[in-house]
Amino acid sequence: MADLKGYSPPPESHNVKPIVQVKSHGRESELIEAPLGFFGLVIGIALAVAFFLFGNGAPLSQVLGGMTLILSLAISYRYPFISFWIFLIYLPFTGTVAYWVGDDHFSFHLAKDVFYFPALVALIQRLRKNQLPIIIPPQLELPLIVLTITTLLTLGLMNGIQQLRADPDEYPLAMGIFGLKVLIGYIPLVTCGFYLIQTRQTLFWFGRVQVIVILICCVLGLIQYWLVIQGICPDNTGLPDHLLLRANLQRKCLVGGALGYFPIENFIRLPGTFVSPWHWAWFLISGVFFSFATAASDPALPWRLLGFFTLSLILVNSIICGQRVALLVVPVILIILLIAVSQVSYPRRILGIGLGIFGFIGGVLALFPQVIIERIDSLIARWTASPPGEFVTGQIQWITEIQDGFLGHGLGRATNAVRGLGETQLIETYFPKIFYEIGPFGLLAFLGVVTILVIQGYKTYRKLSDRTLKSYAVVFWLFIFLISYNSYWYPLDTDPVAVYYWLTAGILLKLPQLEVDRL
């Protein structure tokens, strides 16, 4: 197989021969490979920019920020695989950094992409040089072409025309560019995930890194809850009436962003380490898959135990965070995973996980019955007031009634993250949101992309015979399947699911090669 220059596997896989060989030309690693002149050039440019900013009266924070940006971009481009790992580790802490370090400046919300886009460009260049496929799986090519053409037409014709007629304080073209990044910017992670996982050990490393990150976030979530209920962090008392039962940035606590707590009404919404409670809820939901994969499939017992412990913390956080979707979905997914993985993995191992989880839930019910009752009552009340099925179908009906033409209303016009650039429409279901922005053809193309990933992922799972890899495959495939057709809210538009979904699809497609490599 053709070589892929520049790949340096994680520490555990140094003694395992990777599928894609490293062409090092006598140098032993990616870091050693870089000439000192490269570092000197980058540092020189960073210092020049710093002197320029400082000479023009820029504050010290901007000077340091400019230097950091240049260094990060250059190093990410030079070492793409290392950059991808940093990107994954940093992702769950983006909200905390943006609000507690960056004072909610938009550049801090985009800081994670400094590690992603330069690394992506470098990876594509290396793939082209080594004549390796860029679109994976190849069946994605047609729907991706249709989706790209549709989005670019919408950007040019809809956002472009709106820009010509826009008020001075509105920027439709900028909204469209940002909306394009949100919609399709992370799809290349399928390719990144495929080439990032080079060996079985790298696969295990990926699961372990995810478990450690999830564990840290869950511990911080528990501390945040304790600080809130102890009154160390203020509740919503004293805020205007319309904010009493809402999460807001005036009540941040320890980590993350918008938080809400009003004990008189049994109201609590915790953001964990993320920008909002919704993001935190979907992080917990996605974390179930990665933690379960490690708990059920990792060859090392200590890591399996740590995966199980992390699953327990996810359960606790899903109960205390106040987000009904996490309270409902996390236990359901656990049951689905237990049933699915028990068919392909080691029965005793899965039985132990199942008994441990149900025993843990029983202990939580016994120790904190009032908390559980309050959360369940809140879930039932919300479900009764607005059943999810009726809510989704109602939004679909409304979107189809107002649709005029084939290109939608413009990219970004239903993306909340760009509301500072112009007027946006609040649409809380995903496929109606896509339909609103890029029209019916764009929606069909997007559905084609996710459906091909679901089909090819299932075929990949069926190819495998190794129990360990098959166990990982069924967990990853269920994650892809459930997120692909979920229309409630928009997890594929926001961190972290917008990253985990595409990356996991690429990793899943790589598993058959890992099985062949071991043989």
Side-chain angles (χ1 to χ4, degrees):
M1 181 175 289
D3 295 339
L4 181 58
K5 181 181 177 181
Y7 175 72
S8 179
E12 284 191 59
S13 58
H14 280 317
N15 296 323
V16 183
K17 182 181 178 182
I19 292 175
V20 181
Q21 298 291 330
V22 179
K23 189 187 293 181
S24 61
H25 301 290
R27 302 173 180 94
E28 294 181 1
S29 72
E30 188 177 52
L31 288 174
I32 297 175
E33 176 185 331
L36 293 177
F38 168 76
F39 291 108
L41 177 62
V42 172
I43 294 172
I45 294 174
L47 289 174
V49 171
F51 285 130
F52 174 80
L53 292 174
F54 186 76
N56 285 272
L60 181 61
S61 59
Q62 291 186 12
V63 173
L64 294 176
M67 292 182 64
T68 303
L69 177 62
I70 292 173
L71 290 171
S72 299
L73 288 171
I75 293 174
S76 296
Y77 178 79
R78 185 71 185 187
Y79 312 118
F81 289 99
I82 294 174
S83 184
F84 285 134
W85 287 107
I86 297 173
F87 173 65
L88 283 175
I89 294 170
Y90 176 69
L91 178 65
F93 306 100
T94 302
T96 298
V97 174
Y99 287 121
W100 291 89
V101 179
D103 195 26
D104 198 20
H105 194 277
F106 77 94
S107 61
F108 281 85
H109 290 282
L110 300 176
K112 65 182 184 303
D113 294 325
V114 171
F115 301 110
Y116 167 57
F117 284 110
L120 175 63
V121 172
L123 176 61
I124 291 175
Q125 289 179 344
R126 295 183 183 192
L127 294 178
R128 290 170 62 89
K129 180 180 179 181
N130 291 277
Q131 298 181 341
L132 292 169
I134 295 175
I135 297 179
I136 296 173
Q139 293 85 353
L140 279 182
E141 185 172 355
L142 179 59
L144 279 178
I145 290 173
V146 176
L147 180 61
T148 302
I149 291 174
T150 305
T151 53
L152 291 178
L153 283 174
T154 302
L155 178 65
L157 296 179
M158 300 304 296
N159 294 87
I161 293 173
Q162 292 169 10
Q163 182 66 55
L164 297 176
R165 303 172 180 174
D167 296 331
D169 59 343
E170 193 173 51
Y171 309 93
L173 194 58
M175 293 178 68
I177 294 172
F178 195 91
L180 181 67
K181 178 259 181 186
V182 169
L183 181 63
I184 67 174
Y186 291 124
I187 293 180
L189 280 168
V190 177
T191 300
C192 298
F194 184 87
Y195 289 105
L196 182 67
I197 303 302
Q198 296 288 311
T199 67
R200 293 168 65 97
Q201 287 300 108
T202 318
L203 174 67
F204 302 148
W205 173 266
F206 169 77
R208 294 167 184 179
V209 167
Q210 288 295 96
V211 163
I212 292 173
V213 170
I214 295 166
L215 177 64
I216 293 171
C217 291
C218 284
V219 169
L220 290 172
L222 291 175
I223 297 173
Q224 184 181 70
Y225 174 75
W226 181 81
L227 293 173
V228 167
I229 64 172
Q230 292 296 320
I232 298 173
C233 291
D235 60 29
N236 284 6
T237 302
L239 293 177
D241 290 344
H242 70 282
L243 293 178
L244 288 178
L245 299 180
R246 293 183 61 182
N248 60 89
L249 290 173
Q250 298 180 51
R251 293 295 185 261
K252 294 185 299 182
C253 181
L254 182 65
V255 291
L259 182 147
Y261 181 55
F262 198 52
I264 298 175
E265 297 289 340
N266 292 324
F267 173 81
I268 186 169
R269 297 290 185 272
L270 300 181
T273 60
F274 284 81
V275 297
S276 76
W278 267 107
H279 293 77
W280 178 236
W282 282 96
F283 173 74
L284 295 174
I285 291 169
S286 63
V288 173
F289 293 92
F290 299 118
S291 300
F292 193 96
T294 297
S297 309
D298 195 288
L301 178 60
W303 285 105
R304 294 202 301 272
L305 293 175
L306 190 63
F308 172 76
F309 180 66
T310 304
L311 276 176
S312 303
L313 292 185
I314 291 174
L315 271 170
V316 173
N317 276 276
S318 68
I319 294 170
I320 65 175
C321 73
Q323 281 298 118
R324 305 176 189 93
V325 66
L327 177 64
L328 175 64
V329 174
V330 165
V332 171
I333 289 177
L334 273 174
I335 294 172
I336 293 173
L337 290 176
L338 281 169
I339 295 172
V341 178
S342 66
Q343 307 301 313
V344 299
S345 187
Y346 302 93
R348 291 182 180 178
R349 189 179 297 177
I350 304 304
L351 178 62
I353 293 174
L355 292 176
I357 288 173
F358 287 114
F360 181 81
I361 293 175
V364 172
L365 288 171
L367 292 173
F368 308 102
Q370 189 60 36
V371 175
I372 304 296
I373 292 172
E374 289 175 359
R375 300 296 187 269
I376 293 177
D377 287 344
S378 175
L379 173 63
I380 294 173
R382 177 63 177 177
W383 190 291
T384 303
S386 179
E390 293 182 10
F391 178 70
V392 173
T393 54
Q395 292 225 322
I396 293 174
Q397 182 179 358
W398 172 68
I399 291 297
T400 53
E401 289 175 354
I402 66 173
Q403 175 64 26
D404 183 20
F406 297 102
L407 293 178
H409 294 78
L411 282 162
R413 284 296 183 181
T415 304
N416 288 333
V418 302
R419 59 185 178 272
L421 299 174
E423 182 180 354
T424 59
Q425 179 69 51
L426 178 61
I427 301 175
E428 297 180 87
T429 49
Y430 189 57
F431 295 129
K433 181 259 184 187
I434 296 177
F435 190 95
Y436 181 86
E437 287 196 353
I438 59 177
F441 291 128
L443 174 59
L444 289 174
F446 187 85
L447 284 171
V449 170
V450 299
T451 299
I452 285 174
L453 286 179
V454 169
I455 293 172
Q456 294 302 315
Y458 182 74
K459 289 181 178 179
T460 296
Y461 156 71
R462 296 289 295 175
K463 288 179 184 177
L464 297 168
S465 57
D466 183 277
R467 276 190 177 187
T468 297
L469 295 181
K470 206 172 183 68
S471 177
Y472 276 104
V474 71
V475 174
F476 290 168
W477 181 80
L478 283 171
F479 177 58
I480 300 301
F481 175 77
L482 294 174
I483 297 298
S484 292
Y485 302 111
N486 168 71
S487 189
Y488 190 72
W489 201 56
Y490 29 85
L492 273 180
D493 253 18
T494 53
D495 302 334
V497 178
V499 170
Y500 292 157
Y501 174 86
W502 304 107
L503 186 78
T504 302
I507 295 173
L508 172 60
L509 295 171
K510 187 61 173 283
L511 296 184
Q513 288 195 22
L514 304 188
E515 185 174 62
V516 171
D517 182 61
R518 188 174 189 182
L519 297 176

